[in-house]
Amino acid sequence: MNQGKIPVRYAKALISTAEEQGVLDKVRNDMENLLGILKSVPDLMQLLESPIISSSKKLEVLTTIFEGKVQPLTISFFGLAVENKREEHLPGMARMYIDFYKHAKGIRLATLKTAYPVDKETRNSLIKMIHKVFNTEIELKEETEKELIGGFILQVENQQLDASVSGQLKKIKKQLHT
């Protein structure tokens, strides 16, 4: 099976089951928790990818780490992945689940690039403005780029608003050269 299709198929099955059981949001939190732990504990991913360690031991480790902290459905999902020798795809499955979740909930990703971090009040005002313009829930990702000098660049999916000082300087420079 194609490596890219495995996470998609498992994530589709998980989101369908989570929706049936009414735990869509909770399983999303579980998937974010899984990704966070895998990122902060690289040895766990090495354990999951190891052909030497038995499937039962891998499932035992996952259960020990997550039991009581995630939905029973999530534990069952880990068991299914391990049983089918797909545990190395768990990060991809988690990311795909989160993507499917956002799509199902109509959540759009917005990226805000600024020269300096913005305060909470400004961040909340921007989220409200974007929500009003696009009539959808927004997940705001913030990036800091000193090269912008000031202002911001806001990107919502394939639309971009460049209100940065460096962007304005580039426009002026272009106009002077034409």
Side-chain angles (χ1 to χ4, degrees), residues 6 11 13 19 32 53 55 62 75 90-91 101 126 167:
I6 294 169
E19 194 168 25
E32 288 175 344
I53 299 172
S55 294
L62 285 169
I75 295 290
L90 280 171
Y101 172 90
L126 270 168

Side-chain angles (χ1 to χ4, degrees), residues 1-12 77 89-94 96-97 100:
M1 186 183 287
N2 182 324
Q3 296 293 325
K5 290 182 181 178
I6 294 169
V8 171
R9 289 184 179 174
Y10 277 74
K12 280 183 180 178
F77 180 73
H89 296 285
L90 280 171
M93 293 173 191
M96 289 306 306
Y97 179 91
F100 290 147

Side-chain angles (χ1 to χ4, degrees), residues 13-71:
L14 179 59
I15 201 158
S16 175
T17 307
E19 194 168 25
E20 288 172 11
Q21 294 183 10
V23 292
L24 213 54
D25 297 336
K26 292 176 181 176
V27 173
R28 180 202 174 163
N29 292 339
D30 295 348
M31 294 299 111
E32 288 175 344
N33 190 12
L34 171 66
L35 289 173
I37 289 174
L38 289 173
K39 186 177 182 178
S40 64
V41 185
D43 290 346
L44 178 58
M45 196 62 219
Q46 288 178 339
L47 176 132
L48 293 174
E49 292 173 337
S50 174
I52 299 168
I53 299 172
S54 69
S55 294
S56 61
K57 187 65 176 171
K58 292 175 184 181
L59 184 56
E60 181 183 325
V61 169
L62 285 169
T63 303
T64 301
I65 293 170
F66 291 101
E67 196 167 47
K69 298 174 186 141
V70 298
Q71 293 297 302

